Each structure stands twice: as structure tokens, then as C-alpha cells.
Amino acid sequence: MEKQVMILVGAGQIGMAIARRMGYGKKIVIGDKSKENANAIAEIMSNAGYDTETVEMDLSSRESILSLIAKAQSYGEIAMLVNAAGVSPSQASIETILKVDLYGTAVLLEETGKVICKGGTGVTISSQSGHRMPALTPEQDRLLATTDTEQLLALEMLQPENLKDTLHAYQMAKRCNVKRVMAEAVKWGERGARINSISPGIVVTPLAIDEFNGPRGDFYKNMFAKCPAGRPATADEIANVAELLMSDRGAFITGSDFLIDGGATASYFYGPLQP
């Protein structure tokens, strides 16, 4: 008997928390560049009663994304997408950040939107960083939202010489994620499906703990110490928002972005985190 399928891209704590909340009764196909990481998440979930399958995939490759989708379709109709993959400013070059976080996410939303079932839902994990960058012009926003995916990386504003550093590239990628979700929501709606994004602040994960203990550790610790919440988030708090967005209670929510950062962005503009 065919099951409905959830695609989980990115074998990390946030993606797993959302999948555990929403993936019961479904086949969960977990894609990650590291098969070892995907298998580790799959083992935890399988031991908790979830039906999982792992696929080694590269978010920066359309061919790899299509292969993942085809694998998912072999089990049944795709009903849910959780995209929690990406690289951070301290992990990668400008070019890699744009290829993975910006282009790869755009392709994943586009290709999944072509096959998502009626009543299907998706969330993609963006970042508070996209909310920190100065506003773009309406034309720049439109270009990020609607440019053909294969032409995205050719946009003038995304050329490496027009980006100050990896953080700027990351901010542009996350701004693009939010705009692509808005544009894709129109297309997903034609299939009776919904897509939204979540922009988390600092979330405690193994990667974040490494960051706390690394060269940028003081920066991150200062950020959550001076935000209204006074602490970082847990992955399950991000899953709380995803559960609303992906359940029937979120049936009227699509094309939206939800900032969940403990007030860090508010503090950045109007409080003690002002630069």
C-alpha cells in the first residue's frame, strides 16, 4: 500500500524535530550531502517508529534534487517538504553559499511544487539574517522572487564582487528564500498546496555549539544574551511553528515567512544589539 511521502532535506536537528512532529504515518525520505548524517537521523527516527529512507544528495545540483524527488515518488505521492539544508557564513565561500542556500533552495521549491499533492504543505528554513539586511528595491525583490532558477546566479546583485563577504552572501540567500517562497506559493496554490518559510535565530544544535566555542562564539553569545528572550532556541521550538504551518490549523497561511529569533532582530534595530 502506498503511503504519503515527506521529503526531508538536511539531516540536522531542526529538520528532524519537524519530521518527528509531522512525519508519523508517512514515508520519510531523508536527503543529505552526507549519507552518514542522513543515516544517523534515520536510525534515531526508525528506533522511534518512523518509516525512513536515506538518499545521498547535493542541494546545489538540479539533477540530484530530481533524483531525490523521483525516489520519494517511488513510495507514493509527495505530501510534505521540509527543507532544512544549507551552509553558514563560517562554513563556506560566497560562491558555495549562493549555489546551495540560494540556487539549491529555489530549485527544490520549484521542482517539488510541480509534483506536490493536493493538500500538500512545505516549509523551508531561512534565517533571521535575511531580516537584518537593508531593504532591497522592489525591482530587486521581484528579480529574486521570479527570475528563472537557471538565471538566478547571473543576477548582477549576486555577483561576488557586489557582495562584501560571506555574511552578506548568506543574507542575500536568505532574503531570496523568502521571496521565492512568496512566488512559489502562487504556483503551489494552483495544485491546492501551501509553502511557507521560517526564519530562526540562534538554535542550539551540534553545529551551533561548535560556533559558540569557535572564533565567532562571543558574537553569538552576545546576541542571545541581549535579545528579549535572553537565550537561544531549541529545535523543538522551531518545530512548534512548523507544526502550525503544516497542519490544518495553518490552512490559510501560505507564501509567508515567520521570524522566530527570541526578539534578536528587534534588539538589533531598536535595542542593545544595535550596531
Side-chain angles (χ1 to χ4, degrees):
M1 178 174 142
E2 284 194 347
K3 286 186 176 182
Q4 286 194 326
V5 182
M6 168 190 277
I7 293 177
L8 168 59
V9 180
Q13 296 298 309
I14 294 174
M16 180 171 67
I18 297 171
R20 286 175 68 99
R21 198 73 62 88
M22 299 304 301
Y24 47 85
K26 295 179 175 63
K27 183 75 175 185
I28 304 173
V29 178
I30 305 170
D32 196 276
K33 192 165 188 178
S34 166
K35 191 71 182 296
E36 183 180 0
N37 289 348
N39 288 341
I41 293 297
E43 182 178 7
I44 292 169
M45 295 191 68
S46 296
N47 288 340
Y50 292 87
D51 182 6
T52 63
E53 174 76 22
T54 62
V55 176
E56 185 176 342
M57 60 88 63
D58 178 1
L59 185 58
S60 70
S61 162
R62 184 184 293 272
E63 182 181 2
S64 186
I65 289 168
L66 288 172
S67 179
L68 173 71
I69 290 171
K71 182 71 172 180
Q73 287 181 300
S74 71
Y75 292 107
E77 60 180 6
I78 298 171
M80 289 186 175
L81 168 69
V82 178
N83 176 33
V87 293
S88 77
S90 58
Q91 285 181 313
S93 66
I94 288 174
E95 291 80 4
T96 299
I97 289 168
L98 295 178
K99 194 76 190 290
V100 175
D101 290 9
L102 190 149
Y103 167 80
T105 294
V107 172
L108 179 64
L109 298 181
E110 175 185 56
E111 295 295 348
T112 305
K114 294 176 182 177
V115 298
I116 191 79
C117 73
K118 184 176 182 179
T121 60
V123 293
T124 189
I125 302 301
S126 186
S127 169
Q128 63 177 353
S129 284
H131 291 262
R132 304 273 177 92
M133 192 174 66
L136 300 176
T137 67
E139 175 62 12
Q140 287 175 318
D141 279 339
R142 188 190 67 79
L143 288 170
L144 289 178
T146 62
T147 297
D148 180 270
T149 46
E150 292 307 315
Q151 301 302 317
L152 261 174
L153 296 180
L155 290 175
E156 184 180 355
M157 71 181 111
L158 298 179
Q159 297 315 296
E161 63 269 20
N162 294 324
L163 297 168
K164 292 181 289 188
D165 50 27
T166 57
L167 176 59
H168 189 198
Y170 185 75
Q171 290 174 328
M172 287 292 286
K174 296 307 180 181
R175 182 69 61 85
C176 183
N177 293 167
V178 170
K179 296 302 176 183
R180 296 306 285 199
V181 162
M182 292 180 73
E184 283 294 335
V186 179
K187 300 174 185 177
W188 283 47
E190 294 171 358
R191 299 183 61 86
R194 299 183 296 107
I195 177 70
N196 293 287
S197 60
I198 298 174
S199 291
I202 298 172
V203 182
V204 178
T205 64
L207 177 61
I209 291 171
D210 285 344
E211 294 278 9
F212 297 160
N213 295 321
R216 290 169 60 86
D218 289 342
F219 170 81
Y220 288 113
K221 291 172 186 174
N222 181 63
M223 185 185 297
F224 65 71
K226 290 183 178 177
C227 75
R231 62 172 178 85
T234 65
D236 284 288
E237 289 176 299
I238 310 307
N240 288 341
V241 178
E243 182 177 18
L244 166 65
L245 297 177
M246 300 183 78
S247 71
D248 290 341
R249 287 180 292 175
F252 200 59
I253 306 172
T254 191
S256 295
D257 177 67
F258 288 77
L259 177 64
I260 172 171
D261 68 349
T265 300
S267 186
Y268 177 82
F269 284 111
Y270 309 117
L273 284 174
Q274 290 180 80

